[in-house]
Amino acid sequence: MKPARRPWRTPALQFDHGFTLVELVVGTAISALLIIITTGVLSPQLRMNRLLGGQMRLQERWSRVESLLNTEIAEAHIVSFGNRLELITCEPIDSGSSHRCSDGDQESSATGSPGYDVAICYELVHDQASGSSLLQRLGPMIEPDGSLRSQRATRSCEDFAAEVVTTGVTAFSAPEITPLKVTYTISLRDPLDPNGSSYTKESSASPRPRK
């Protein structure tokens, strides 16, 4: 009787676990080199993306300020610029009066219906809290329908509390003021990134003729 044959068994494979010191040093060096190369390639792109994002935010901010300024300049019949932009607009006595009122003249006057002079001022002031400058407005509140809450009285800018229009303003000027055209320039910088994007733009609006 033949002895029973044992089934064939594959010898267990032997593996070395872990890395040698040389392999760790080489792997670390390669990883560091890859990080340096990747950072060098991506940094300019990330910086450009940050600047472009800042430009877009500043353009949106400029558009809001421009819309407000152009609307109020178009409603003013006297515009001047010293250390601030001052707009004199005339509010009719009542809603049924002409929008081009006569600043207190008699109703029979050829200049229109009687009304009151109301001043609106825009000025650049330094904000000590943030260390930057801001553009503020002194004038009557704007009602939801666009009218001014002038309370039917002649008022100067000092009669109103200051309201912040926008922050991060580095320059504000009006290089051209004529009876037919007012041109102004505003420079903006992102207050959250003083070394980042800046934006300067000029715009103009036509004041209403005084009748």
Side-chain angles (χ1 to χ4, degrees), residues 153-185:
T154 299
R155 291 179 175 271
S156 66
C157 294
E158 282 66 28
D159 294 327
F160 303 100
E163 298 176 297
V164 176
V165 177
T166 188
T167 58
V169 182
T170 58
F172 175 53
S173 63
E176 179 184 2
I177 297 179
T178 69
L180 300 179
K181 182 180 180 182
V182 176
T183 300
Y184 61 90
T185 302

Tab-separated table of all heavy atoms in Angstrom, residues 153-185:
chain	number	residue	atom	x	y	z
A	153	ALA	N	-38.528	122.639	4.097
A	153	ALA	CA	-37.772	123.755	4.669
A	153	ALA	C	-36.425	123.849	3.977
A	153	ALA	O	-35.880	122.849	3.512
A	153	ALA	CB	-37.582	123.566	6.167
A	154	THR	N	-35.917	125.075	3.872
A	154	THR	CA	-34.586	125.275	3.322
A	154	THR	C	-33.569	124.719	4.305
A	154	THR	O	-33.575	125.082	5.484
A	154	THR	CB	-34.321	126.771	3.080
A	154	THR	OG1	-35.284	127.245	2.140
A	154	THR	CG2	-32.924	126.996	2.545
A	155	ARG	N	-32.678	123.874	3.816
A	155	ARG	CA	-31.737	123.206	4.716
A	155	ARG	C	-30.340	123.143	4.092
A	155	ARG	O	-30.192	122.968	2.892
A	155	ARG	CB	-32.217	121.781	5.043
A	155	ARG	CG	-33.473	121.761	5.916
A	155	ARG	CD	-33.918	120.341	6.197
A	155	ARG	NE	-35.034	120.326	7.117
A	155	ARG	CZ	-34.929	120.282	8.447
A	155	ARG	NH1	-33.719	120.259	8.999
A	155	ARG	NH2	-35.989	120.260	9.210
A	156	SER	N	-29.333	123.258	4.965
A	156	SER	CA	-27.942	123.110	4.547
A	156	SER	C	-27.456	121.707	4.890
A	156	SER	O	-28.153	120.945	5.587
A	156	SER	CB	-27.071	124.161	5.250
A	156	SER	OG	-27.044	123.916	6.647
A	157	CYS	N	-26.265	121.357	4.431
A	157	CYS	CA	-25.728	120.013	4.674
A	157	CYS	C	-25.585	119.733	6.162
A	157	CYS	O	-25.771	118.597	6.615
A	157	CYS	CB	-24.381	119.856	3.979
A	157	CYS	SG	-24.483	119.897	2.177
A	158	GLU	N	-25.238	120.787	6.951
A	158	GLU	CA	-25.007	120.591	8.378
A	158	GLU	C	-26.284	120.274	9.139
A	158	GLU	O	-26.236	119.895	10.318
A	158	GLU	CB	-24.344	121.840	8.970
A	158	GLU	CG	-22.857	121.974	8.682
A	158	GLU	CD	-22.545	122.182	7.209
A	158	GLU	OE1	-23.409	122.746	6.485
A	158	GLU	OE2	-21.454	121.785	6.775
A	159	ASP	N	-27.424	120.416	8.489
A	159	ASP	CA	-28.685	120.082	9.154
A	159	ASP	C	-28.955	118.575	9.176
A	159	ASP	O	-29.925	118.138	9.801
A	159	ASP	CB	-29.864	120.777	8.445
A	159	ASP	CG	-29.800	122.287	8.591
A	159	ASP	OD1	-29.328	122.754	9.639
A	159	ASP	OD2	-30.209	122.987	7.642
A	160	PHE	N	-28.114	117.808	8.495
A	160	PHE	CA	-28.368	116.378	8.363
A	160	PHE	C	-27.226	115.561	8.966
A	160	PHE	O	-26.079	116.011	9.006
A	160	PHE	CB	-28.532	115.997	6.892
A	160	PHE	CG	-29.620	116.762	6.181
A	160	PHE	CD1	-29.312	117.843	5.371
A	160	PHE	CD2	-30.950	116.406	6.340
A	160	PHE	CE1	-30.300	118.551	4.712
A	160	PHE	CE2	-31.953	117.113	5.688
A	160	PHE	CZ	-31.631	118.188	4.877
A	161	ALA	N	-27.561	114.370	9.404
A	161	ALA	CA	-26.548	113.446	9.921
A	161	ALA	C	-25.800	112.808	8.753
A	161	ALA	O	-26.365	112.599	7.675
A	161	ALA	CB	-27.208	112.364	10.772
A	162	ALA	N	-24.540	112.495	8.977
A	162	ALA	CA	-23.712	111.889	7.931
A	162	ALA	C	-24.047	110.406	7.789
A	162	ALA	O	-24.264	109.701	8.779
A	162	ALA	CB	-22.237	112.072	8.252
A	163	GLU	N	-24.082	109.953	6.540
A	163	GLU	CA	-24.299	108.538	6.231
A	163	GLU	C	-23.150	108.047	5.352
A	163	GLU	O	-22.732	108.745	4.425
A	163	GLU	CB	-25.622	108.334	5.492
A	163	GLU	CG	-26.852	108.752	6.290
A	163	GLU	CD	-28.119	108.615	5.468
A	163	GLU	OE1	-28.238	109.313	4.445
A	163	GLU	OE2	-28.979	107.801	5.837
A	164	VAL	N	-22.648	106.860	5.636
A	164	VAL	CA	-21.544	106.297	4.858
A	164	VAL	C	-22.078	105.776	3.522
A	164	VAL	O	-22.999	104.965	3.485
A	164	VAL	CB	-20.847	105.159	5.622
A	164	VAL	CG1	-19.764	104.520	4.753
A	164	VAL	CG2	-20.231	105.688	6.917
A	165	VAL	N	-21.476	106.269	2.438
A	165	VAL	CA	-21.850	105.796	1.102
A	165	VAL	C	-21.039	104.553	0.749
A	165	VAL	O	-21.580	103.540	0.326
A	165	VAL	CB	-21.622	106.900	0.044
A	165	VAL	CG1	-21.939	106.381	-1.358
A	165	VAL	CG2	-22.478	108.112	0.362
A	166	THR	N	-19.729	104.623	0.936
A	166	THR	CA	-18.869	103.474	0.693
A	166	THR	C	-17.531	103.702	1.383
A	166	THR	O	-17.144	104.846	1.660
A	166	THR	CB	-18.651	103.229	-0.816
A	166	THR	OG1	-17.960	101.986	-1.000
A	166	THR	CG2	-17.818	104.345	-1.438
A	167	THR	N	-16.831	102.617	1.679
A	167	THR	CA	-15.521	102.681	2.324
A	167	THR	C	-14.424	102.393	1.298
A	167	THR	O	-14.703	102.038	0.162
A	167	THR	CB	-15.436	101.665	3.465
A	167	THR	OG1	-15.694	100.345	2.939
A	167	THR	CG2	-16.466	101.968	4.547
A	168	GLY	N	-13.175	102.549	1.733
A	168	GLY	CA	-12.054	102.251	0.849
A	168	GLY	C	-11.854	103.258	-0.257
A	168	GLY	O	-11.278	102.925	-1.297
A	169	VAL	N	-12.296	104.498	-0.075
A	169	VAL	CA	-12.140	105.545	-1.089
A	169	VAL	C	-10.818	106.264	-0.842
A	169	VAL	O	-10.583	106.799	0.239
A	169	VAL	CB	-13.308	106.549	-1.043
A	169	VAL	CG1	-13.146	107.601	-2.129
A	169	VAL	CG2	-14.633	105.815	-1.201
A	170	THR	N	-9.954	106.279	-1.824
A	170	THR	CA	-8.651	106.927	-1.677
A	170	THR	C	-8.605	108.317	-2.291
A	170	THR	O	-7.735	109.111	-1.944
A	170	THR	CB	-7.546	106.065	-2.304
A	170	THR	OG1	-7.852	105.842	-3.700
A	170	THR	CG2	-7.467	104.704	-1.613
A	171	ALA	N	-9.518	108.640	-3.206
A	171	ALA	CA	-9.537	109.973	-3.820
A	171	ALA	C	-10.939	110.254	-4.351
A	171	ALA	O	-11.634	109.352	-4.820
A	171	ALA	CB	-8.520	110.070	-4.953
A	172	PHE	N	-11.325	111.536	-4.258
A	172	PHE	CA	-12.634	111.972	-4.746
A	172	PHE	C	-12.489	113.416	-5.200
A	172	PHE	O	-12.086	114.283	-4.425
A	172	PHE	CB	-13.691	111.844	-3.648
A	172	PHE	CG	-15.042	112.379	-4.025
A	172	PHE	CD1	-15.667	111.960	-5.189
A	172	PHE	CD2	-15.697	113.299	-3.212
A	172	PHE	CE1	-16.923	112.446	-5.547
A	172	PHE	CE2	-16.954	113.790	-3.546
A	172	PHE	CZ	-17.560	113.364	-4.720
A	173	SER	N	-12.806	113.685	-6.463
A	173	SER	CA	-12.668	115.037	-6.997
A	173	SER	C	-13.696	115.258	-8.101
A	173	SER	O	-14.276	114.306	-8.630
A	173	SER	CB	-11.253	115.268	-7.546
A	173	SER	OG	-10.993	114.391	-8.629
A	174	ALA	N	-13.901	116.524	-8.433
A	174	ALA	CA	-14.791	116.908	-9.529
A	174	ALA	C	-14.044	117.883	-10.414
A	174	ALA	O	-14.122	119.108	-10.216
A	174	ALA	CB	-16.082	117.513	-8.991
A	175	PRO	N	-13.271	117.384	-11.385
A	175	PRO	CA	-12.414	118.262	-12.178
A	175	PRO	C	-13.161	119.191	-13.132
A	175	PRO	O	-12.593	120.169	-13.604
A	175	PRO	CB	-11.536	117.277	-12.954
A	175	PRO	CG	-12.340	116.016	-13.016
A	175	PRO	CD	-13.111	115.970	-11.742
A	176	GLU	N	-14.419	118.907	-13.427
A	176	GLU	CA	-15.162	119.753	-14.368
A	176	GLU	C	-16.586	119.960	-13.881
A	176	GLU	O	-17.329	118.990	-13.670
A	176	GLU	CB	-15.192	119.129	-15.766
A	176	GLU	CG	-15.967	119.954	-16.792
A	176	GLU	CD	-16.071	119.270	-18.147
A	176	GLU	OE1	-15.571	118.143	-18.283
A	176	GLU	OE2	-16.662	119.879	-19.056
A	177	ILE	N	-16.953	121.217	-13.678
A	177	ILE	CA	-18.316	121.558	-13.287
A	177	ILE	C	-18.779	122.732	-14.138
A	177	ILE	O	-18.191	123.818	-14.088
A	177	ILE	CB	-18.413	121.929	-11.795
A	177	ILE	CG1	-18.038	120.726	-10.920
A	177	ILE	CG2	-19.821	122.400	-11.451
A	177	ILE	CD1	-18.077	121.017	-9.434
A	178	THR	N	-19.778	122.510	-14.955
A	178	THR	CA	-20.390	123.558	-15.766
A	178	THR	C	-21.906	123.460	-15.582
A	178	THR	O	-22.411	122.467	-15.032
A	178	THR	CB	-20.040	123.391	-17.256
A	178	THR	OG1	-20.710	122.221	-17.773
A	178	THR	CG2	-18.529	123.232	-17.454
A	179	PRO	N	-22.651	124.459	-16.028
A	179	PRO	CA	-24.120	124.373	-15.921
A	179	PRO	C	-24.706	123.187	-16.673
A	179	PRO	O	-25.837	122.773	-16.383
A	179	PRO	CB	-24.594	125.704	-16.523
A	179	PRO	CG	-23.447	126.641	-16.326
A	179	PRO	CD	-22.226	125.795	-16.505
A	180	LEU	N	-23.954	122.654	-17.623
A	180	LEU	CA	-24.478	121.551	-18.439
A	180	LEU	C	-23.881	120.193	-18.105
A	180	LEU	O	-24.414	119.158	-18.518
A	180	LEU	CB	-24.232	121.845	-19.929
A	180	LEU	CG	-24.884	123.110	-20.480
A	180	LEU	CD1	-24.519	123.280	-21.960
A	180	LEU	CD2	-26.399	123.070	-20.297
A	181	LYS	N	-22.752	120.179	-17.356
A	181	LYS	CA	-22.085	118.903	-17.129
A	181	LYS	C	-21.260	118.946	-15.855
A	181	LYS	O	-20.566	119.927	-15.579
A	181	LYS	CB	-21.178	118.571	-18.322
A	181	LYS	CG	-20.466	117.233	-18.230
A	181	LYS	CD	-19.602	117.017	-19.461
A	181	LYS	CE	-18.866	115.695	-19.424
A	181	LYS	NZ	-17.988	115.506	-20.593
A	182	VAL	N	-21.352	117.868	-15.089
A	182	VAL	CA	-20.528	117.688	-13.891
A	182	VAL	C	-19.757	116.387	-14.043
A	182	VAL	O	-20.353	115.312	-14.204
A	182	VAL	CB	-21.390	117.645	-12.617
A	182	VAL	CG1	-20.512	117.356	-11.398
A	182	VAL	CG2	-22.147	118.943	-12.438
A	183	THR	N	-18.427	116.494	-14.017
A	183	THR	CA	-17.567	115.314	-14.133
A	183	THR	C	-16.857	115.085	-12.803
A	183	THR	O	-16.300	116.025	-12.224
A	183	THR	CB	-16.521	115.506	-15.249
A	183	THR	OG1	-17.194	115.716	-16.494
A	183	THR	CG2	-15.634	114.274	-15.374
A	184	TYR	N	-16.881	113.877	-12.327
A	184	TYR	CA	-16.232	113.548	-11.052
A	184	TYR	C	-15.431	112.254	-11.199
A	184	TYR	O	-15.679	111.441	-12.092
A	184	TYR	CB	-17.271	113.411	-9.932
A	184	TYR	CG	-18.291	112.321	-10.165
A	184	TYR	CD1	-18.085	111.022	-9.728
A	184	TYR	CD2	-19.480	112.594	-10.854
A	184	TYR	CE1	-19.015	110.028	-9.948
A	184	TYR	CE2	-20.420	111.611	-11.078
A	184	TYR	CZ	-20.190	110.326	-10.615
A	184	TYR	OH	-21.106	109.338	-10.845
A	185	THR	N	-14.452	112.094	-10.301
A	185	THR	CA	-13.573	110.925	-10.311
A	185	THR	C	-13.495	110.340	-8.905
A	185	THR	O	-13.358	111.081	-7.927
A	185	THR	CB	-12.161	111.298	-10.785
A	185	THR	OG1	-12.238	111.870	-12.094
A	185	THR	CG2	-11.264	110.073	-10.839
